[in-house]
Amino acid sequence: MATWQQNLAASLTDPAAIAARFALDPAATLAVAARYPVRLTPQLLGLIEGADDPVGRQFLPDWRELADDGLPDDPLAETELAPLPAVVHRYPARVLLLAGNACAAYCRFCTRKRRVGCAAFRLPFTELLKGIDYIAAHSAIEEVIVSGGDPLLLPDDALAELLGRLRRIPHLGVLRIATRTLTVLPERITPALATLLGRQAPLYLTTHFNHPRELTPPAAEACAHLAAAGIPLANQTVLLRGVNDDADTLATLCTALLHLRVRPYYLHQLDPVRGTGHFRVSFERGLQLVEALRQRVSGLAVPHYIVDLPGGRGKVALTQEHVVRLGAIAVIRLADVGLVELPNKEWTS
């Protein structure tokens, strides 16, 4: 059986080969891949049936990524909130530690689309150490979310070193790791890795599944390894047009996650990142979907529907009470801040 490193090395990255395999426009595929990287692991190559497949939509290059959709590169102002290249410090007691800039596969809707996978934003391990020193120097920080890129692309010894250094910080309590590997490279979750992570309690692992077809037998086995090691699992799903914007898909996904001992935690409104406009689902539709979920699944299976406010103002849970309809425009009314959603723009191929 191939190791996760061997499967990662066997990934398909050549735009011409990707275009040929999935009947994509060669010129458009090349142009998109020149700006935003693409990598399809063997796991994904076995899952994707075509460009209109719900998994294919998430990972295959699309010409609309280069369209002028009027969205910003960094809507959450992470650059402004980064005291160091590896740290985003938005909340007083919680920081984001970027443990690398590479992913096993590249989601076309990524919040950090501007930087993830790009050579100019490479993060050497020395930058991680500087980030850990920053955390150690700020005693108000109680929680660290290790993200990236994907932190689980670090080898076991480097990951153990990183987590060990964090654990030695007296004022630090909870660690969280956010990863997409259970979908795209599930063989990364070895029993040895699960044991390593289980020793760092309290450590929580956040998975990222968007569609029931991603819950493959290897993904289920990966969840079982982590759960057996005593690691609480929570899932974050991004609401995506043409992928999971219907109640049946979300109900099937959330119920199946519970069966794998993964708590459906967040249903994210897509961050308004440049090159992702064709994935956008309206706030109103999102609220309708959550209400439909409440009618058909266990309360444990209903995620919080949240929006990350532009400018780095933080996450807010959305409910029906927040929406006022003004003609063709939905206005989200919150306590101290208002979000205005533009009328839906129809994208054509």
Side-chain angles (χ1 to χ4, degrees):
M1 179 182 293
T3 66
W4 69 270
Q5 295 96 332
Q6 290 170 329
N7 279 341
L8 186 63
S11 299
L12 188 59
T13 59
D14 177 54
I18 291 170
R21 178 163 181 153
F22 295 104
L24 307 177
D25 179 85
T29 302
L30 182 63
V32 174
R35 174 62 185 88
Y36 302 116
V38 58
R39 178 157 59 193
L40 304 176
T41 60
Q43 173 77 3
L44 283 178
L45 292 172
L47 273 180
I48 296 173
E49 297 174 353
D52 289 330
D53 170 77
V55 182
R57 284 178 182 268
Q58 297 181 64
F59 294 101
L60 293 178
D62 188 312
W63 66 268
R64 291 172 291 187
E65 295 177 60
L66 300 179
D68 183 10
D69 54 15
L71 299 175
D73 286 323
D74 184 13
L76 305 184
E78 287 190 338
T79 303
E80 297 174 24
L81 296 169
L84 294 169
V87 175
V88 178
H89 197 170
R90 181 190 304 180
Y91 305 102
R94 187 161 72 252
V95 300
L96 191 69
L97 181 66
L98 304 179
N101 194 49
C103 291
Y106 294 100
C107 303
R108 313 320 297 174
F109 52 88
C110 180
T111 297
R112 300 189 186 99
K113 194 176 179 72
R114 69 193 184 278
R115 60 174 293 165
V116 171
C118 299
F121 291 94
R122 190 177 69 87
L123 276 171
F125 199 74
T126 53
E127 289 296 339
L128 296 189
L129 299 181
K130 292 177 183 177
I132 293 171
D133 289 341
Y134 174 90
I135 294 166
H138 290 75
S139 59
I141 297 173
E142 299 175 349
E143 180 177 351
V144 171
I145 303 166
V146 187
S147 184
D150 199 310
L152 295 191
L153 288 195
L154 290 172
D156 284 7
D157 56 351
L159 191 59
E161 174 71 12
L162 170 65
L163 296 175
R165 285 175 179 260
L166 288 171
R167 270 284 157 247
R168 289 193 289 274
I169 298 175
H171 56 82
L172 196 57
V174 173
L175 298 179
R176 273 197 273 170
I177 291 180
T179 182
R180 186 73 149 126
T181 55
L182 285 84
T183 293
V184 302
L185 194 70
E187 56 272 25
R188 175 63 185 104
I189 312 299
T190 62
L193 175 65
T195 299
L196 184 162
L197 298 178
R199 290 172 179 159
Q200 304 298 331
L203 181 145
Y204 295 76
L205 190 136
T206 304
T207 62
H208 181 176
F209 295 107
N210 290 330
H211 191 274
R213 286 189 53 231
E214 298 170 28
L215 299 177
T216 59
E221 183 179 5
C223 291
H225 286 322
L226 294 165
I231 301 167
L233 304 174
N235 187 69
Q236 298 189 88
T237 292
V238 180
L239 185 58
L240 300 168
R241 185 179 181 186
V243 174
N244 55 18
D245 57 334
D246 67 274
D248 288 341
T249 296
L250 288 175
T252 301
L253 172 65
C254 293
T255 300
L257 285 167
L258 280 187
H259 293 172
L260 297 177
R261 290 183 283 179
V262 181
R263 168 74 163 91
Y265 179 45
Y266 278 158
L267 177 64
H268 276 277
Q269 180 70 14
L270 178 68
D271 293 329
V273 179
R274 184 186 304 276
T276 67
H278 55 292
F279 282 114
R280 188 177 64 80
V281 178
S282 71
F283 291 112
E284 189 173 40
R285 177 60 178 158
L287 290 165
Q288 291 170 352
L289 290 170
V290 172
E291 184 60 29
L293 273 180
R294 295 186 189 281
Q295 303 302 315
R296 63 179 72 189
V297 301
S298 159
L300 283 173
V302 180
H304 301 288
Y305 179 38
I306 61 130
V307 59
D308 220 334
L309 298 177
R313 290 173 289 174
K315 293 182 176 67
V316 174
L318 295 180
T319 67
Q320 289 287 356
E321 287 71 28
H322 292 136
V323 176
V324 177
R325 199 69 193 169
L326 301 176
I329 299 177
V331 181
I332 307 302
R333 302 282 190 196
L334 304 175
D336 300 312
V337 63
L339 287 177
V340 177
E341 181 174 41
L342 298 178
N344 189 51
K345 178 178 179 179
E346 294 298 329
W347 293 84
T348 56
S349 56

